[in-house]
Amino acid sequence: MDFSILVYLAPVAGFVSLIAAGLLAWRVLSVQPSDKKMIDIAKAIQEGAMAYLSRQYRTIAVVAVVLALVIGFALGWNLALSFAIGAVASGVAGFIGMNVSVRANVRTAAMAKKSLGDALNLAFRGGAVTGLAVVGLSMLGVSLMYIMFRDVNLVIGFGFGASLISLFARVGGGIYTKAADVGADIVGKVEAGIPEDDPRNPAVIADNVGDNVGDCAGMGADLFETYAVTLLAAMLIGSVVSGGAFDAKEIVYPLAIGSVAIIASIIAIFFVRLGKSKKIMNALYKGVGAAAVITTAASFGITQWIFGDLTYFWVSLVGIVITVLMFVFTEYYTSTKHRPVKAISKASETGAGTNVISGLSFGMESTILPVITIIVGILVAFFAAGGFDGNGLYGIAIAAVAMLSTAGMIVALDSYGPITDNAGGIAEMSEQPARVREITDELDAVGNTTKAVTKGYAIGSAALGALALFADYYDKMLHNADGANIDLAINNPVILVGLLIGGLLPFAFTSVTMRAVSKAAMGVVGEVRRQFKEIPGILKGKAKPDYAKCVDIVTSAALREMIVPGAMAIVVPILVGWLLGTAALAGLLIGIIVVGLMLAMALNNAGGAWDNAKKLIESDGLYGGKGSEAHKAAVVGDTVGDPTKDTSGPGLNALIKVVNMVAILFITIFTVGGVLGL
């Protein structure tokens, strides 16, 4: 049967997603705030965010052009073109999301004057613009590249371009947002005792800008890359098991699932409404649940039609179950409602030391259930699809695609977070009535949990996606060996060396990114202290701080410091493959998947728990409430957690996939034993 029609329908689905994103953006921007003070503050945030993004993209463009030339001369110009299109599409996804986010924030604050439901609807729809743009551009890019080249191996360049932009956007945005946040907290909250979004703090605009460049532009590029690479990984393995025909059902199936999932996400947006319970999280989860149910129902018929049986439908359910459980586990460890966050806030009574120790403990504990879930999911998907005698690895790839089927809604949840965070800051800085601030605080409290949950989801899906990429690397390694005997046994020292390097890379990456945040934050702290000292009247509200100076400090630092971790992801796998050979590089890939997954989860969840432990003390007045010694200790814990949850943890997610994409892309120029002949 000819299934090529499904290939041609995939870009149509992507285009429909972009149209829906445009209509939502129009609806959001049609709301016109009237408060001049709110508009002026929002304008300052917009200008800072767009200035940073334009400078970041100019910096990344230099790296991308150099890499495109290297790929073109070494591997072919079709791959170079594919790489360039992937990089541009990823950048556009981040730009669209942030462009709407920095305009939805003030409109959310304005709608908070009306009601909680109105403010929620606008904030979520602002986030949904990013979600639909991400999945639409990703599906459009992958499917068009496949139609253009008719060879899935040439689409690898698109995935690598998306991965590269994702890594730089994630790391650069993470350094920016957390340097500003940490600097603002240390001098503002701890030393001066002023609120988080107080207009007297010179770093407050930089802090609000950072929310957008980190969680809209950064997360948008991150999940664009995750979606594209996971889709590509399934198509690559499908090409191996099917023989590579253009309309092979194993290649077409992931595109079909992704296409119906896009339509499901568009429909599910209208399920997000505040019910009688007035519980915001329930309203948001209704949307995610609707997307999952609609996709699952459509997948049933599509699977039966394409394969004639439901084997891969049951496999896809494994991915859906993993997604649900990842949400449950991450929310448990980061929400104010559950034991971990309550225990960390309790530990703050005895000082910052016990707060930090407790947070680290729960962060490490939080890896247990998700990893067990992923282990069980891998085994079930593998053996349900035929195991070693069938298409077991393809089953794992399909489970990963199923996890990404709700990506449009997941990105919407994540982008909702910075919109509501900014809305709260704008409401406070413009001195809105207490009721308005209460509504924005309520929206923001949920936003902190959604950001943590979506990062956990991204990390979990990266694990399955990276495993599928490794399967493709392994197949290419065997074909590249020309019949040579490749020994991947653990007692082979070359493999062990590769494993150790792969395990080391996440720690080196985390060290570099956290130190970058620390250095940039020190600059912000020094500048805020200087302004408090040299500009009389700031703390009394009689003089205006120089916000632009702090924005410039974190912008320059983020652009400077993102280069080393980005280069690390490209240079290390190439050096290992060139010097030690493809077998050692296989060890590196396994090492980075295993260690990177667990470290990313621990960092992400510990940071989210520290953040909400502080907010629990502030909102519930526990242990003396704001200004108490327990609160100061919790602020210290939150400061430690800022780079773990918003810079290093999410950055590891991108690192894992970039390293895998580099290995797959450049494997043809490596030999089994490398230049050292090992």
Side-chain angles (χ1 to χ4, degrees), residues 296-521:
T296 301
S299 298
F300 182 92
I302 288 173
T303 307
Q304 181 66 45
W305 175 48
I306 292 177
F307 292 102
D309 65 63
L310 295 174
T311 298
Y312 293 116
F313 171 74
W314 304 122
V315 169
S316 69
L317 289 184
V318 173
I320 298 295
V321 171
I322 293 175
T323 297
V324 172
L325 292 178
M326 292 296 289
F327 266 65
V328 170
F329 298 146
T330 306
E331 183 175 350
Y332 174 76
Y333 279 99
T334 59
S335 172
T336 56
K337 299 176 183 178
H338 303 296
R339 178 180 69 96
V341 169
K342 290 179 179 179
I344 294 170
S345 62
K346 173 69 175 174
S348 303
E349 274 193 299
T350 49
T354 46
N355 171 285
V356 172
I357 292 169
S358 180
L360 284 173
S361 170
F362 282 113
M364 294 178 185
E365 179 187 304
S366 72
T367 63
I368 297 172
L369 291 175
V371 170
I372 290 174
T373 298
I374 291 171
I375 289 170
V376 173
I378 287 171
L379 292 175
V380 171
F382 182 79
F383 288 106
F388 296 103
D389 298 323
N391 296 330
L393 291 174
Y394 182 68
I396 294 173
I398 293 303
V401 169
M403 278 195 75
L404 269 297
S405 64
T406 55
M409 292 296 293
I410 302 302
V411 179
L413 289 187
D414 187 79
S415 296
Y416 159 92
I419 290 172
T420 55
D421 195 341
N422 272 198
I426 290 169
E428 183 170 319
M429 286 186 278
S430 61
E431 300 175 329
Q432 297 300 310
R435 175 56 187 157
V436 174
R437 183 58 178 161
E438 287 171 8
I439 288 176
T440 57
D441 279 347
E442 197 171 344
L443 293 168
D444 184 29
V446 173
N448 285 317
T449 301
T450 63
K451 286 188 288 185
V453 166
T454 52
K455 289 183 180 76
Y457 162 85
I459 292 166
S461 62
L464 288 184
L467 187 58
L469 287 173
F470 176 77
D472 183 67
Y473 171 83
Y474 181 73
D475 179 75
K476 285 180 169 56
M477 178 178 67
L478 294 180
H479 283 85
N480 196 48
D482 294 327
N485 182 26
I486 299 177
D487 181 11
L488 292 185
I490 192 65
N491 60 357
N492 179 350
V494 174
I495 302 302
L496 186 58
V497 166
L499 285 168
L500 290 173
I501 295 172
L504 173 65
L505 199 52
F507 284 95
F509 179 89
T510 300
S511 171
V512 171
T513 51
M514 291 191 71
R515 191 179 301 119
V517 172
S518 177
K519 287 166 63 178

Side-chain angles (χ1 to χ4, degrees), residues 254-311:
L255 291 173
I257 297 299
S259 297
V260 298
I262 285 175
I263 305 304
S265 292
I266 294 171
I267 296 171
I269 289 170
F270 300 99
F271 283 77
V272 178
R273 292 190 177 278
L274 203 62
K276 293 181 180 179
S277 66
K278 300 293 183 182
K279 291 184 178 179
I280 298 170
M281 188 61 83
N282 287 354
L284 296 174
Y285 279 170
K286 275 192 294 186
V288 178
V293 169
I294 295 169
T295 302
T296 301
S299 298
F300 182 92
I302 288 173
T303 307
Q304 181 66 45
W305 175 48
I306 292 177
F307 292 102
D309 65 63
L310 295 174
T311 298

Side-chain angles (χ1 to χ4, degrees), residues 170 219 326 330 333-334 363 366-367 414 448-449 451-459 597-611 641-650 652:
R170 218 352 147 185
M219 190 64 168
M326 292 296 289
T330 306
Y333 279 99
T334 59
S366 72
T367 63
D414 187 79
N448 285 317
T449 301
K451 286 188 288 185
V453 166
T454 52
K455 289 183 180 76
Y457 162 85
I459 292 166
L597 167 67
M598 296 187 193
L599 185 58
M601 282 184 183
L603 293 173
N604 178 60
N605 293 336
W610 272 315
D611 188 357
D642 276 335
T644 69
K645 69 181 173 64
D646 287 322
T647 309
S648 300
L652 286 170

